[in-house]
Amino acid sequence: MIQINGLTKFIRLILVLTSIVSVELFAADLLVINADIRTSDPLMLSADAIAVKDGKFLAVGTSSEILTLKSKNTEIIDAQGKTVLPGFVDSHTHLNSGSNMVTGINLAGIAEKSIWLDMIAERVKSMKPGEWLLGGRWDYTLENKGLPNRWELDQVSPNNPVALMDIDGHSIWINSLAIQEANIKANSKVSIGGKILIEESSGEPNGILLESARELLWDASSYVRDNEISIEKIERVLSYANSYGITSIHDMSTLSDLDKYKDLAINKKLFVRIFWGEFSKYSQDEDSTNNEELLNQRIDTYKFYDTVRGPLIKFGFIKYMVDGVLSTYTAALIDPYSDRPDFTGDVFYKQAEINKLVKRANDFGMPVAIHAIGDRGVQMALNAFERSGNTALANRIEHVEIIKPDDIPRFRKLNVTASMQPNHGTGVIGKYITPRVGVEREKYAYVWNEFLKEGARLVLSSDFATSPFSPLIQLADAVFRESPDGSYEGSWYPEQALTFEQALHAYTQIGADLAGWGDQIGSISRGKYADFVILDRVLSKPVGRELKSAKVDKTYFAGQLVFSKN
Ligand SMILES: [Zn+2]
């Protein structure tokens, strides 16, 4: 008995000693307890507490387990039952053009042109004459009155050139002063896919430039191109991302932005991880992909990793665009548009050309992302990936809005990721989707769940600024498939909706995987960098409509608080 007591005491002593050692070695910097944690980690989908040390998750578990990791310097947050999610990975954004929405004017979700015009009139009052008003996100399909024109803008902005991108980012609406400064004529030369719309009676440009025709604005010396946006503007848009819980982004802006991100990273002011893709120009010779040395040099120059914060910047894919968008009939369909029976839209490349470009990039080891919206564009992109034959690379198709059923299984077969935007789907239901493609083809529009059922990889994103930056809004769109403005009653083809867990996984881990960062971020898992968000409420299980009004309360980046609502 005495012997046993002695042994017990000895074991106790050892336990106490090891716990002291472990407190010193493993004491956390930060604990979040009493939380409803949705980890996005299939090995442990939920937990109620996390411990963070040196920028990483030290432990994930129950509150009582996690509380053993506190020491006197540990900060403890009692989440009071609120939901905690991994930091979001938005896998398709255009930060530079998006920054114009933050600093210029944002017309998203406003149905009436008369209100846009009032807002523009009000906005230019606070601007110096001659200063450009940028931004936009106007959506002419909300009000059935056709595209706006330059003369309407002239009425409200006679002294400031105006150039406002539409909701799809494929058309720009400009006033006469902008036309004058850029010297745009009805017969100005535009690159492939571009078009200057003309007013019939006068034969003059009417103020709408489609696709690449908007590059004509670059001829105006006073126009600030997206790639010349200041570092302050970039910082503003990055903190705007943090305010929505976004901690990583796949960005498709310009090389000069990449220099700005790098500056911020060097100065320890970059709180969004940037996986960058070069948007290759239409000409085969203008991009870096025809020069392996240059490509490798860029990859090296922009690889930025910080031991405290983890991966920060990486140049990792080339983007091409094979068609436009459904709203303006620039998406390429196999059969004619239902509301324009003589017209299919057109692809921007010949099949052989895009095959060559994809193969060249893949042969260099670079994944390719192809913007393809119509079923013909999607088929062309799949053909190019098939020809390239490089199924080990993370090739992807952006948007995939309409698809031929036979093409769906090709995604898994060719290891191509479907990169989709939930709000692009919900934003058009009850509006132009049925008129454009008809009831037969619309069954194969925005088929998110079909891709998962077929075993393909699905990644979700906002394509900011073409749809809301908020991942919570996008997740709600993925889960409910309901029109955000009530244009359609109920859920549209509800069999294509996702569960919250599927959608969250596609908005976190999959984006991290595509960037090659899947073992470092993307879920709330022990050993990963502590990117996470605390919501302002608890989400029910299964998630209900409270998701539609949920907001982000706090955002942490590698364990550091980078956004707080209060
Ligand atoms: Zn885009």
Side-chain angles (χ1 to χ4, degrees), residues 66 68 74 85 293 298 302 305-306 341 370-371 400 421 433 475 485 496:
I66 294 302
T68 64
T74 304
L85 303 173
E293 203 183 320
R298 281 189 188 169
Y302 294 106
Y305 183 93
D306 174 327
I370 299 183
H371 165 121
V400 204
Q421 297 70 36
I433 187 67
L475 291 177
D485 55 22
Q496 295 302 341

Side-chain angles (χ1 to χ4, degrees), residues 49-188:
I50 46 180
V52 175
K53 183 179 170 62
D54 298 334
K56 290 181 173 174
F57 293 114
L58 173 67
V60 183
T62 64
S63 293
S64 57
E65 283 164 4
I66 294 302
L67 278 167
T68 64
L69 297 166
K70 77 166 191 221
S71 76
K72 59 179 189 309
N73 296 322
T74 304
E75 182 192 353
I76 300 175
I77 295 175
D78 184 340
Q80 297 172 323
K82 289 171 190 160
T83 296
V84 170
L85 303 173
F88 296 111
V89 181
D90 188 326
S91 298
H92 182 138
T93 72
H94 302 264
L95 280 188
N96 60 7
S97 51
S99 73
N100 291 329
M101 312 301 160
V102 183
T103 56
I105 195 161
N106 185 351
L107 305 174
I110 297 159
E112 287 166 53
K113 186 160 63 184
S114 62
I115 304 178
W116 307 343
L117 294 168
D118 288 347
M119 286 171 71
I120 295 162
E122 196 53 40
R123 183 69 185 84
V124 293
K125 272 188 202 161
S126 61
M127 294 171 71
K128 291 188 217 98
E131 201 185 327
W132 284 72
L133 176 65
L134 304 176
R137 290 189 63 196
W138 49 275
D139 182 355
Y140 83 101
T141 65
L142 293 174
E143 196 183 40
N144 221 355
K145 289 187 181 165
L147 285 161
N149 64 50
R150 64 194 269 192
W151 300 283
E152 290 162 325
L153 272 181
D154 293 348
Q155 297 290 318
V156 291
S157 181
N159 304 317
N160 292 80
V162 181
L164 303 178
M165 198 70 91
D166 76 332
I167 186 75
D168 299 314
H170 288 253
S171 318
I172 200 158
W173 174 29
I174 57 181
N175 65 350
S176 298
L177 206 50
I179 288 173
Q180 194 185 315
E181 296 216 6
N183 196 24
I184 297 170
K185 304 272 184 259
N187 59 357
S188 295

Side-chain angles (χ1 to χ4, degrees), residues 92 94 252 319 371 399 463:
H92 182 138
H94 302 264
M252 314 202 182
K319 186 186 174 195
H371 165 121
H399 315 307
D463 191 16

